[in-house]
Amino acid sequence: MSTTLEPLESLEPTLSVRQVLMLERVLAGEPEVVAGAAQLDRAVRWVHVAEAADVGVMLSGGEMVLTTGVLLAGDDGKQAEYIQSLHRAEAAAVVLGLGRAFPAPPDVMRRAAERCGLPMVVLHRPFPFAELTEEVQARLVRRKFAAVSMSEAVRTALTGLITAGAPLQHLLDEIAHHSGCPVVVTNLAHRVLATAGERSAVDDVLRDWERIARQAGGSEGDGWIRAELGGRGERWGQIMLCGYRGDTATGRLLADRAAESLVLHRMLGGTSAHSWEEQSAQSLLTDLVSGVVPARQLLPRARAAGLPVNRRTFVPLVVRDGDPAELDRVLRLLGLPGIVAELADGATAVLLSLARDQDAAVLTANFAARLTQTVVAAADPRTAWDDVPAGMREARHVADAVASGALDLPAVVRLKDVHLRGLIRLLRDDPHVQSFAERELDGLLCAAGDDLLAVLRTYLATGRNKSRTAQLHHVSRPALYRRLEAIQGRLGVDLDDFEQAASVHIALLAHDAQQA
């Protein structure tokens, strides 16, 4: 779903004192800031004309007060109290029109305003206050209406994506489009679950994420705007706009709309915060395995996901027929830092991050021993992050080779354990290898030959051990002999001849690899 909505940063619902002073009608009055110049970015909520000395009781905060000071002239005490009253009421600024009451800026009011940090502006030329109030009020009303309209438009756009079944990433991309800054979703431990925005800007944020996460509980500022994710009294994460360039009020509005949509997405999709963690890990490990994204670019994502990366030993694993939830539970049980994600074809990738003084082989064996009916394929440990993608691909290759049906393997299978089977797995897509396998096995590659092919596979995998083969297929030795004779007849080979048996074995490995 696409939209033509403008980024919210251009629709601030308030004006600052500085912006009001830059209006054409105000400039005609020759404004001069005589106090509180450092506070000109205060938001102006309303404009109010007041001459009463106790004007503060009429205000609720954020007003720019316009006065000629006619009731204050000649009374230093009233002048000072007037400024203090505005300060107590949290007025945005005071504008004094010079004229008969005050031909020049009054020192008492100026000094009091400077002490309070209240912006005080004098107008050197006569100015109709009614025109100023009319223009500012109209601008404020228009901006507030535009901000509310934009908020509803954003909500509609995000709801449309949700009802269309869009994934989480599409929602975040839409939010990043409107905010014009990186968007980060985290769990309660401040681990990054998902991001959106310009890639280089997101990487800059993630590169410094440890510092940002430590400050995540502090007050908002410099465009870092947060909204909690949760419902029914339970918090499970937060969404953060990182470096939002608009005003805080509008950013807060956008963050709230975004949070509402993410909670709705989770509820309607039946997902959980944990599933978002799985998606984050899956994206990271898939990129590591593919090698499409340079490892150096993935480092900030790994660090932000909570994986220790400084001075660590990385152990890439791929588990066949493993349940990601069980693998994650075992990691937690053993206290092993790592990330888990399901890949294609029933394989699950695991990346362990161990301290340099830990025994990687022992800990990997302990991990494998906790699993049932699974094959754990491991690459050699890597001490450099840049070597991790090659390690992940090595573990994936070993797991693929094991899936072809090797027997009597150790609990943790490494490249040295797959021997010829691993080589054939690498060459399985070569047309010459495919042609060789078809030619060698032609007499058995039919429905009638399936049972004989299974016997041949076991016979060769057991090192041509007839007793073991008969036992595994639950047949007598004479029955096995008859089947072996049938196999040799169909293939036109002598399986007692080592070279011929080796040729058939290689062809069978290639055939199985192609079928897998």
Side-chain angles (χ1 to χ4, degrees):
M1 179 175 179
S2 61
T3 176
T4 58
L5 299 176
E6 294 297 324
L8 274 174
E9 64 183 63
S10 61
L11 294 171
E12 302 174 11
T14 61
L15 288 169
S16 67
V17 175
R18 191 186 308 278
Q19 288 173 317
V20 172
L21 297 181
M22 294 303 293
L23 296 177
E24 186 175 349
R25 291 187 181 183
V26 179
L27 290 174
E30 298 182 7
E32 177 189 0
V33 180
V34 297
Q39 302 295 324
L40 295 183
D41 291 322
R42 283 185 175 182
V44 176
R45 188 183 60 82
W46 208 242
V47 177
H48 188 68
V49 180
E51 300 290 356
D54 58 347
V55 63
V57 299
M58 308 174 189
L59 308 179
S60 57
E63 294 89 352
M64 173 179 278
V65 176
L66 311 180
T67 183
T68 61
V70 66
L71 299 181
L72 305 175
D75 191 327
D76 291 352
K78 285 185 177 181
Q79 293 173 27
E81 176 56 30
Y82 185 83
I83 295 297
Q84 291 168 5
S85 176
L86 294 179
H87 172 63
R88 288 193 297 269
E90 299 182 347
V94 58
V95 178
L96 174 65
L98 300 181
R100 287 179 298 174
F102 292 102
D107 286 341
V108 173
M109 294 180 68
R110 181 183 58 77
R111 288 195 300 270
E114 193 65 52
R115 285 194 301 272
C116 295
L118 175 70
M120 178 176 174
V121 181
V122 297
L123 300 174
H124 289 278
R125 294 177 62 85
F127 187 87
F129 285 169
E131 292 183 10
L132 175 59
T133 57
E134 179 182 1
E135 179 168 352
V136 173
Q137 317 297 44
R139 285 175 179 263
L140 290 174
V141 169
R142 285 199 303 270
R143 285 168 177 257
K144 289 179 181 179
F145 177 77
V148 172
S149 298
M150 177 60 76
S151 171
E152 291 305 309
V154 170
R155 174 185 281 152
T156 300
L158 295 176
T159 302
L161 287 172
I162 294 171
T163 55
L168 170 66
Q169 190 60 52
H170 287 187
L171 267 71
L172 296 180
D173 290 341
E174 187 80 3
I175 296 165
H177 165 71
H178 292 301
S179 65
C181 67
V183 175
V184 176
V185 176
T186 73
N187 62 13
L188 294 181
H190 306 302
R191 291 188 176 182
V192 174
L193 306 181
T195 63
E198 184 181 349
R199 189 74 264 162
S200 60
V202 171
D203 287 345
D204 287 342
V205 170
L206 296 185
R207 194 170 293 111
D208 200 26
W209 186 251
E210 291 182 4
R211 179 186 62 81
I212 294 171
R214 284 196 299 270
Q215 298 175 352
S219 59
E220 295 175 346
D222 298 328
W224 300 91
I225 300 175
R226 306 170 185 82
E228 299 295 334
L229 301 176
R232 299 178 180 176
E234 177 189 9
R235 290 173 54 246
W236 42 267
Q238 68 174 2
I239 182 170
M240 182 184 297
L241 308 184
C242 305
Y244 179 70
R245 295 188 298 273
D247 73 293
T248 301
T250 304
R252 163 56 57 190
L253 199 62
L254 176 58
D256 287 344
R257 295 294 84 77
E260 290 174 3
S261 298
L262 296 187
V263 172
L264 180 62
H265 179 274
R266 175 187 172 186
M267 292 173 59
L268 294 182
T271 58
S272 65
H274 182 66
S275 71
W276 286 2
E277 292 183 26
E278 292 174 350
Q279 292 175 30
S280 175
Q282 184 179 48
S283 173
L284 174 61
L285 290 181
T286 299
D287 286 344
L288 279 170
V289 172
S290 69
V292 174
V293 182
R296 186 57 53 183
Q297 293 184 19
L298 297 174
L299 185 59
R301 286 170 55 186
R303 181 184 291 113
L307 186 73
V309 296
N310 295 330
R311 297 186 58 78
R312 307 291 289 186
T313 296
F314 302 101
V315 183
L317 307 174
V318 172
V319 181
R320 275 287 170 192
D321 304 318
D323 177 10
E326 180 191 1
L327 300 182
D328 188 62
R329 180 185 61 79
V330 172
L331 286 184
R332 296 176 189 276
L333 181 66
L334 296 176
L336 297 177
I339 50 178
V340 179
E342 186 173 4
L343 303 177
D345 303 326
T348 301
V350 181
L351 180 59
L352 302 181
S353 175
L354 308 177
R356 292 284 176 87
D357 59 353
Q358 291 181 294
D359 191 322
V362 171
L363 292 177
T364 303
N366 290 344
F367 173 72
R370 295 274 183 167
L371 306 179
T372 57
Q373 298 181 335
T374 59
V375 174
V376 178
D380 290 335
R382 265 62 175 176
T383 56
W385 175 258
D386 287 345
D387 295 335
V388 170
M392 294 301 306
R393 290 191 291 274
E394 179 183 316
R396 180 65 183 271
H397 164 62
V398 173
D400 287 345
V402 172
S404 299
L407 302 176
D408 301 324
L409 290 170
V412 179
V413 187
R414 303 184 186 278
L415 191 60
K416 64 181 180 61
D417 299 315
V418 296
H419 305 296
L420 179 61
R421 189 180 301 274
L423 176 63
I424 296 300
R425 188 77 181 186
L426 287 177
L427 300 176
R428 63 180 176 174
D429 294 326
D430 187 294
H432 297 292
V433 174
Q434 294 173 354
S435 177
F436 169 76
E438 291 285 332
R439 185 171 62 252
E440 289 289 300
L441 300 175
D442 182 58
L444 296 180
L445 296 181
C446 60
D450 284 349
D451 181 58
L452 295 179
L453 198 63
V455 170
L456 175 63
R457 182 180 294 109
T458 305
Y459 179 61
L460 295 174
T462 58
R464 295 184 294 174
N465 186 320
K466 295 183 177 65
S467 298
R468 178 65 173 154
T469 302
Q471 180 184 16
L472 290 174
H473 282 270
H474 307 290
V475 298
S476 65
R477 286 179 65 94
L480 175 65
Y481 293 157
R482 288 193 295 271
R483 295 185 186 185
L484 290 177
E485 289 174 359
I487 290 172
Q488 293 181 108
R490 289 197 179 195
L491 297 181
V493 298
D494 179 5
L495 293 179
D496 289 330
D497 181 88
F498 175 79
E499 184 174 341
Q500 293 184 53
S503 181
V504 172
H505 193 187
I506 292 172
L508 185 57
L509 291 177
H511 169 75
D512 289 346
Q514 291 158 15
Q515 296 302 308

